mmCIF file of all heavy atoms in Angstrom:
data_model
loop_
_atom_site.group_PDB
_atom_site.id
_atom_site.type_symbol
_atom_site.label_atom_id
_atom_site.label_comp_id
_atom_site.label_asym_id
_atom_site.label_seq_id
_atom_site.Cartn_x
_atom_site.Cartn_y
_atom_site.Cartn_z
ATOM 1 N N PRO A 50 -31.700 -1.207 -25.060
ATOM 2 C CA PRO A 50 -32.308 -0.938 -23.754
ATOM 3 C C PRO A 50 -31.500 -1.534 -22.604
ATOM 4 O O PRO A 50 -30.994 -2.648 -22.691
ATOM 5 C CB PRO A 50 -33.676 -1.618 -23.868
ATOM 6 C CG PRO A 50 -33.471 -2.725 -24.855
ATOM 7 C CD PRO A 50 -32.450 -2.219 -25.831
ATOM 8 N N ILE A 51 -31.365 -0.742 -21.522
ATOM 9 C CA ILE A 51 -30.784 -1.263 -20.282
ATOM 10 C C ILE A 51 -31.706 -1.002 -19.092
ATOM 11 O O ILE A 51 -31.371 -1.324 -17.962
ATOM 12 C CB ILE A 51 -29.388 -0.663 -20.005
ATOM 13 C CG1 ILE A 51 -29.470 0.852 -19.837
ATOM 14 C CG2 ILE A 51 -28.393 -1.049 -21.074
ATOM 15 C CD1 ILE A 51 -28.189 1.474 -19.307
ATOM 16 N N ASP A 52 -32.886 -0.424 -19.373
ATOM 17 C CA ASP A 52 -33.812 -0.050 -18.302
ATOM 18 C C ASP A 52 -34.251 -1.231 -17.451
ATOM 19 O O ASP A 52 -34.573 -1.062 -16.264
ATOM 20 C CB ASP A 52 -35.044 0.640 -18.892
ATOM 21 C CG ASP A 52 -34.694 1.914 -19.652
ATOM 22 O OD1 ASP A 52 -33.833 1.846 -20.549
ATOM 23 O OD2 ASP A 52 -35.286 2.957 -19.335
ATOM 24 N N THR A 53 -34.283 -2.418 -18.027
ATOM 25 C CA THR A 53 -34.776 -3.587 -17.291
ATOM 26 C C THR A 53 -33.849 -3.994 -16.142
ATOM 27 O O THR A 53 -34.244 -4.782 -15.288
ATOM 28 C CB THR A 53 -34.951 -4.781 -18.240
ATOM 29 O OG1 THR A 53 -33.711 -5.041 -18.919
ATOM 30 C CG2 THR A 53 -36.042 -4.507 -19.259
ATOM 31 N N PHE A 54 -32.638 -3.453 -16.112
ATOM 32 C CA PHE A 54 -31.718 -3.759 -15.011
ATOM 33 C C PHE A 54 -31.980 -2.871 -13.785
ATOM 34 O O PHE A 54 -31.336 -3.040 -12.751
ATOM 35 C CB PHE A 54 -30.266 -3.554 -15.464
ATOM 36 C CG PHE A 54 -29.816 -4.545 -16.497
ATOM 37 C CD1 PHE A 54 -29.804 -4.215 -17.843
ATOM 38 C CD2 PHE A 54 -29.399 -5.826 -16.123
ATOM 39 C CE1 PHE A 54 -29.372 -5.128 -18.803
ATOM 40 C CE2 PHE A 54 -28.970 -6.742 -17.073
ATOM 41 C CZ PHE A 54 -28.964 -6.398 -18.411
ATOM 42 N N TYR A 55 -32.928 -1.934 -13.901
ATOM 43 C CA TYR A 55 -33.164 -0.946 -12.847
ATOM 44 C C TYR A 55 -34.638 -0.944 -12.440
ATOM 45 O O TYR A 55 -35.513 -1.352 -13.196
ATOM 46 C CB TYR A 55 -32.748 0.438 -13.335
ATOM 47 C CG TYR A 55 -31.290 0.513 -13.718
ATOM 48 C CD1 TYR A 55 -30.875 0.160 -15.006
ATOM 49 C CD2 TYR A 55 -30.321 0.900 -12.801
ATOM 50 C CE1 TYR A 55 -29.531 0.211 -15.362
ATOM 51 C CE2 TYR A 55 -28.978 0.946 -13.149
ATOM 52 C CZ TYR A 55 -28.591 0.599 -14.423
ATOM 53 O OH TYR A 55 -27.260 0.625 -14.777
ATOM 54 N N PHE A 56 -34.905 -0.440 -11.232
ATOM 55 C CA PHE A 56 -36.279 -0.298 -10.749
ATOM 56 C C PHE A 56 -36.887 0.965 -11.336
ATOM 57 O O PHE A 56 -36.280 2.034 -11.327
ATOM 58 C CB PHE A 56 -36.303 -0.232 -9.219
ATOM 59 C CG PHE A 56 -35.951 -1.527 -8.552
ATOM 60 C CD1 PHE A 56 -34.675 -1.737 -8.053
ATOM 61 C CD2 PHE A 56 -36.888 -2.537 -8.428
ATOM 62 C CE1 PHE A 56 -34.331 -2.923 -7.441
ATOM 63 C CE2 PHE A 56 -36.560 -3.744 -7.815
ATOM 64 C CZ PHE A 56 -35.282 -3.940 -7.319
ATOM 65 N N GLU A 57 -38.115 0.839 -11.791
ATOM 66 C CA GLU A 57 -38.757 1.933 -12.515
ATOM 67 C C GLU A 57 -39.103 3.116 -11.615
ATOM 68 O O GLU A 57 -39.023 4.269 -12.031
ATOM 69 C CB GLU A 57 -40.028 1.410 -13.210
ATOM 70 C CG GLU A 57 -40.705 2.446 -14.080
ATOM 71 C CD GLU A 57 -41.907 1.872 -14.807
ATOM 72 O OE1 GLU A 57 -42.124 0.651 -14.742
ATOM 73 O OE2 GLU A 57 -42.631 2.668 -15.442
ATOM 74 N N LYS A 58 -39.498 2.853 -10.356
ATOM 75 C CA LYS A 58 -40.005 3.928 -9.501
ATOM 76 C C LYS A 58 -39.177 4.140 -8.236
ATOM 77 O O LYS A 58 -39.660 4.736 -7.273
ATOM 78 C CB LYS A 58 -41.464 3.649 -9.131
ATOM 79 C CG LYS A 58 -42.388 3.625 -10.340
ATOM 80 C CD LYS A 58 -43.825 3.361 -9.934
ATOM 81 C CE LYS A 58 -44.744 3.366 -11.156
ATOM 82 N NZ LYS A 58 -46.156 3.113 -10.780
ATOM 83 N N VAL A 59 -37.944 3.669 -8.241
ATOM 84 C CA VAL A 59 -37.058 3.850 -7.083
ATOM 85 C C VAL A 59 -36.033 4.927 -7.430
ATOM 86 O O VAL A 59 -35.247 4.753 -8.360
ATOM 87 C CB VAL A 59 -36.354 2.532 -6.708
ATOM 88 C CG1 VAL A 59 -35.426 2.753 -5.510
ATOM 89 C CG2 VAL A 59 -37.395 1.452 -6.388
ATOM 90 N N PRO A 60 -36.032 6.060 -6.700
ATOM 91 C CA PRO A 60 -35.147 7.184 -7.076
ATOM 92 C C PRO A 60 -33.673 6.821 -7.192
ATOM 93 O O PRO A 60 -33.001 7.249 -8.130
ATOM 94 C CB PRO A 60 -35.386 8.195 -5.943
ATOM 95 C CG PRO A 60 -36.780 7.902 -5.467
ATOM 96 C CD PRO A 60 -36.926 6.419 -5.584
ATOM 97 N N THR A 61 -33.151 6.041 -6.243
ATOM 98 C CA THR A 61 -31.713 5.713 -6.306
ATOM 99 C C THR A 61 -31.392 4.857 -7.523
ATOM 100 O O THR A 61 -30.335 4.996 -8.138
ATOM 101 C CB THR A 61 -31.264 4.978 -5.038
ATOM 102 O OG1 THR A 61 -32.087 3.806 -4.842
ATOM 103 C CG2 THR A 61 -31.367 5.881 -3.817
ATOM 104 N N SER A 62 -32.302 3.978 -7.879
ATOM 105 C CA SER A 62 -32.098 3.132 -9.048
ATOM 106 C C SER A 62 -32.189 3.951 -10.332
ATOM 107 O O SER A 62 -31.379 3.792 -11.252
ATOM 108 C CB SER A 62 -33.138 2.005 -9.059
ATOM 109 O OG SER A 62 -32.894 1.106 -10.116
ATOM 110 N N GLN A 63 -33.151 4.860 -10.378
ATOM 111 C CA GLN A 63 -33.294 5.711 -11.557
ATOM 112 C C GLN A 63 -32.120 6.681 -11.708
ATOM 113 O O GLN A 63 -31.729 7.020 -12.821
ATOM 114 C CB GLN A 63 -34.622 6.481 -11.489
ATOM 115 C CG GLN A 63 -35.834 5.632 -11.815
ATOM 116 C CD GLN A 63 -35.791 5.085 -13.228
ATOM 117 O OE1 GLN A 63 -35.785 5.852 -14.208
ATOM 118 N NE2 GLN A 63 -35.768 3.765 -13.368
ATOM 119 N N GLN A 64 -31.549 7.105 -10.566
ATOM 120 C CA GLN A 64 -30.367 7.957 -10.631
ATOM 121 C C GLN A 64 -29.187 7.215 -11.243
ATOM 122 O O GLN A 64 -28.432 7.762 -12.057
ATOM 123 C CB GLN A 64 -30.002 8.460 -9.233
ATOM 124 C CG GLN A 64 -28.726 9.274 -9.152
ATOM 125 C CD GLN A 64 -28.787 10.596 -9.900
ATOM 126 O OE1 GLN A 64 -29.876 11.036 -10.288
ATOM 127 N NE2 GLN A 64 -27.643 11.220 -10.098
ATOM 128 N N ALA A 65 -29.024 5.944 -10.863
ATOM 129 C CA ALA A 65 -27.954 5.129 -11.438
ATOM 130 C C ALA A 65 -28.147 4.970 -12.945
ATOM 131 O O ALA A 65 -27.182 5.045 -13.721
ATOM 132 C CB ALA A 65 -27.903 3.775 -10.745
ATOM 133 N N LEU A 66 -29.385 4.766 -13.364
ATOM 134 C CA LEU A 66 -29.690 4.636 -14.785
ATOM 135 C C LEU A 66 -29.435 5.960 -15.515
ATOM 136 O O LEU A 66 -28.867 5.973 -16.622
ATOM 137 C CB LEU A 66 -31.147 4.210 -14.973
ATOM 138 C CG LEU A 66 -31.679 4.155 -16.407
ATOM 139 C CD1 LEU A 66 -30.883 3.180 -17.257
ATOM 140 C CD2 LEU A 66 -33.170 3.799 -16.407
ATOM 141 N N PHE A 67 -29.835 7.058 -14.893
ATOM 142 C CA PHE A 67 -29.622 8.378 -15.485
ATOM 143 C C PHE A 67 -28.142 8.637 -15.754
ATOM 144 O O PHE A 67 -27.765 9.169 -16.804
ATOM 145 C CB PHE A 67 -30.186 9.459 -14.561
ATOM 146 C CG PHE A 67 -29.755 10.853 -14.932
ATOM 147 C CD1 PHE A 67 -30.344 11.521 -15.994
ATOM 148 C CD2 PHE A 67 -28.746 11.494 -14.223
ATOM 149 C CE1 PHE A 67 -29.939 12.807 -16.342
ATOM 150 C CE2 PHE A 67 -28.334 12.773 -14.563
ATOM 151 C CZ PHE A 67 -28.929 13.432 -15.623
ATOM 152 N N LEU A 68 -27.287 8.249 -14.814
ATOM 153 C CA LEU A 68 -25.849 8.473 -14.988
ATOM 154 C C LEU A 68 -25.290 7.675 -16.161
ATOM 155 O O LEU A 68 -24.378 8.133 -16.856
ATOM 156 C CB LEU A 68 -25.107 8.138 -13.696
ATOM 157 C CG LEU A 68 -25.367 9.094 -12.525
ATOM 158 C CD1 LEU A 68 -24.665 8.604 -11.272
ATOM 159 C CD2 LEU A 68 -24.935 10.512 -12.871
ATOM 160 N N GLU A 69 -25.821 6.476 -16.386
ATOM 161 C CA GLU A 69 -25.373 5.698 -17.547
ATOM 162 C C GLU A 69 -25.789 6.376 -18.855
ATOM 163 O O GLU A 69 -25.035 6.392 -19.838
ATOM 164 C CB GLU A 69 -25.943 4.280 -17.480
ATOM 165 C CG GLU A 69 -25.438 3.455 -16.309
ATOM 166 C CD GLU A 69 -23.926 3.414 -16.226
ATOM 167 O OE1 GLU A 69 -23.281 3.135 -17.262
ATOM 168 O OE2 GLU A 69 -23.382 3.682 -15.138
ATOM 169 N N LYS A 70 -26.985 6.946 -18.864
ATOM 170 C CA LYS A 70 -27.443 7.654 -20.059
ATOM 171 C C LYS A 70 -26.656 8.948 -20.267
ATOM 172 O O LYS A 70 -26.376 9.345 -21.409
ATOM 173 C CB LYS A 70 -28.942 7.930 -19.948
ATOM 174 C CG LYS A 70 -29.788 6.663 -19.995
ATOM 175 C CD LYS A 70 -31.272 6.963 -19.883
ATOM 176 C CE LYS A 70 -32.094 5.669 -20.000
ATOM 177 N NZ LYS A 70 -33.554 5.921 -19.891
ATOM 178 N N LYS A 71 -26.299 9.591 -19.166
ATOM 179 C CA LYS A 71 -25.513 10.819 -19.236
ATOM 180 C C LYS A 71 -24.131 10.558 -19.814
ATOM 181 O O LYS A 71 -23.656 11.297 -20.687
ATOM 182 C CB LYS A 71 -25.408 11.414 -17.828
ATOM 183 C CG LYS A 71 -24.512 12.624 -17.686
ATOM 184 C CD LYS A 71 -24.455 13.045 -16.225
ATOM 185 C CE LYS A 71 -23.429 14.126 -15.985
ATOM 186 N NZ LYS A 71 -23.310 14.480 -14.549
ATOM 187 N N ARG A 72 -23.461 9.497 -19.337
ATOM 188 C CA ARG A 72 -22.119 9.200 -19.836
ATOM 189 C C ARG A 72 -22.167 8.781 -21.309
ATOM 190 O O ARG A 72 -21.257 9.092 -22.078
ATOM 191 C CB ARG A 72 -21.429 8.154 -18.960
ATOM 192 C CG ARG A 72 -21.912 6.726 -19.118
ATOM 193 C CD ARG A 72 -21.463 5.838 -17.969
ATOM 194 N NE ARG A 72 -20.032 5.795 -17.793
ATOM 195 C CZ ARG A 72 -19.247 4.811 -18.213
ATOM 196 N NH1 ARG A 72 -19.771 3.781 -18.869
ATOM 197 N NH2 ARG A 72 -17.969 4.825 -17.981
#
Side-chain angles (χ1 to χ4, degrees):
I51 62 169
D52 300 53
T53 56
F54 292 99
Y55 300 86
F56 290 100
E57 185 177 353
K58 297 181 179 180
V59 179
T61 55
S62 185
Q63 284 298 298
Q64 176 65 13
L66 174 60
F67 167 77
L68 291 176
E69 295 307 311
K70 293 180 177 180
K71 174 183 172 184
R72 75 196 302 259

